[in-house]
Amino acid sequence: MILEMTASVFISEGSISSRGTSETARFIAARAEEGRSQLQNSYTLGLRGKGVFDELCMVAQNWQEPNWDGYGAVPVTEEAYRLAYRFLESLPLGTPAPTVGAEPDGHITLDWYRTPRRTLSVSVSPDSELFYAALLPGPRKENGTEQFIGDVPLSILDLIRDVTAA
Amino acid sequence: MIQAQSPGPVSANEKVARFVTVGKWIRADQTIRQDAFVPPKDLELSVTRHLKLSEDELWNIGQKVAEEVGQKRSATLHGRADITASQVFQQNLKAEAAPRPANPNHAHITGWPSGKSEQKNIAQELAVAAGKAVLAPKRPV
């Protein structure tokens, strides 16, 4: 019952902001974060069951050496891996799974794709920056940079919805 | 040092190949992820001009690129993404001959904006222009 209620909150609302200032607000945010993390890691409800965390782990392991692409690429760092992991955990439950990759500067990329002209790529840098770019019907192009401080920015959530909506 | 002879400036109707050395850069439907076209930090994206190269010669150059992959990964050439220089120019980028001793047809795609997210949008456009990857032929072990 508690699980159902918690899940429904996360599915509809995404992450709960942890920016409250009172001790109670911080406590609630911490418990909520813990609950969301557990749900995201569950095989039935979260991205874990879709293999995304395994894919992320594989990318981080395979590309931790310099020149992993033959063109002089920078290694994927543990920090980039850690932040990408947290980003995935922070996505609202029910978010379609991205595929995971990496770019020559060592950023981890999360790719939501329906067609070549309906696609979103988010780069997670080791400095907590999220660089995103999308091609959408219209034709429409979007790009931008956001800081990742624990919550997935609304601009990115909106683009995930635009790319993956039926 | 041996100076590679330049075949001259890159013209708009030329094809250039971006060799794909990372399997994940090719999606299941054979389209190319933008990752393959995101420039490195020096903003010089390596490509190879087709010019008069045969398919075999082109793949041999790609194989050499794959062999430059770090020692701890097995070197695999997965395929290549072909685009024309005019498609590069449409993105307000340049294609400049940058011959190397082992690859006189080597060129750089330059003129990238400094912002990473803008670079990603352009990389997505180049991936669209490339269409489906040309998969590397299976080689005898």
Side-chain angles (χ1 to χ4, degrees):
Chain A
M1 166 104 169
I2 291 170
L3 179 72
E4 282 170 13
M5 195 176 74
T6 317
S8 68
V9 168
F10 290 128
I11 289 167
S12 58
E13 302 295 328
S15 60
I16 290 175
S17 174
S18 55
R19 288 173 216 147
T21 50
S22 74
E23 203 171 307
T24 309
R26 283 198 297 273
F27 175 80
I28 291 170
R31 294 290 80 77
E33 178 65 33
E34 205 173 279
R36 181 157 50 87
S37 174
Q38 283 172 2
L39 288 168
Q40 196 61 276
N41 282 320
S42 79
Y43 274 81
T44 45
L45 290 170
L47 292 174
R48 171 81 59 199
K50 297 168 187 163
V52 180
F53 290 98
D54 292 340
E55 204 183 339
L56 174 62
C57 188
M58 190 271 286
V59 164
Q61 279 179 346
N62 283 357
W63 299 337
Q64 56 185 314
E65 298 297 323
N67 195 28
W68 50 262
D69 64 349
Y71 295 110
V74 173
V76 172
T77 62
E78 197 174 324
E79 190 58 13
Y81 165 76
R82 199 178 62 76
L83 287 165
Y85 195 102
R86 275 184 59 208
F87 179 92
L88 289 170
E89 277 191 328
S90 303
L91 287 168
L93 288 170
T95 302
T99 56
V100 186
E103 288 165 342
D105 55 8
H107 294 183
I108 288 176
T109 56
L110 306 170
D111 188 46
W112 283 267
Y113 169 83
R114 278 178 72 92
T115 68
R117 285 226 166 264
R118 195 163 168 184
T119 182
L120 165 69
S121 175
V122 177
S123 305
V124 182
S125 87
D127 307 316
S128 303
E129 281 181 310
L130 303 170
F131 301 96
Y132 64 90
L135 297 183
L136 292 159
R140 185 179 136 211
K141 277 189 209 183
E142 299 281 347
N143 68 64
T145 305
E146 299 269 8
Q147 281 291 317
F148 178 56
I149 49 173
D151 297 333
V152 178
L154 278 178
S155 54
I156 293 177
L157 287 177
D158 285 345
L159 287 171
I160 293 172
R161 201 171 304 123
D162 288 348
V163 167
T164 59
Chain B
M1 186 176 142
I2 303 165
Q3 289 293 314
Q5 196 176 356
S6 173
V10 181
S11 61
N13 59 353
E14 272 186 47
K15 265 190 185 177
V16 295
R18 173 76 173 160
F19 291 110
V20 180
T21 54
V22 177
K24 289 181 73 66
W25 285 354
I26 302 176
R27 298 191 183 96
D29 65 1
Q30 265 180 253
T31 57
I32 312 280
R33 276 174 75 116
Q34 58 102 48
D35 306 24
F37 285 104
V38 168
K41 287 200 165 177
D42 63 6
L43 302 185
E44 293 184 335
L45 185 80
S46 279
V47 290
T48 294
R49 304 165 69 179
H50 284 222
L51 289 174
K52 291 175 182 169
L53 293 178
S54 68
E55 278 287 301
D56 277 352
E57 288 168 327
L58 208 47
W59 287 123
N60 283 338
I61 292 169
Q63 193 56 40
K64 282 178 192 156
V65 173
E67 283 164 9
E68 287 176 23
V69 172
Q71 295 296 308
K72 292 195 177 178
R73 269 187 66 218
S74 56
T76 308
L77 177 62
H78 295 274
R80 65 172 204 255
D82 289 339
I83 51 176
T84 62
S86 66
Q87 288 167 323
V88 173
F89 302 154
Q90 276 166 23
Q91 301 303 320
N92 294 318
L93 301 175
K94 296 174 194 160
E96 296 175 337
R100 291 175 173 174
N103 181 9
N105 284 14
H106 182 258
H108 283 137
I109 295 179
T110 61
W112 295 86
S114 56
K116 168 88 189 236
S117 56
E118 289 88 354
Q119 291 169 9
K120 285 172 72 68
N121 251 162
I122 292 174
Q124 286 173 324
E125 291 284 5
L126 294 178
V128 171
K132 293 195 174 186
V134 182
L135 299 182
K138 298 263 184 281
R139 286 176 180 255
V141 180

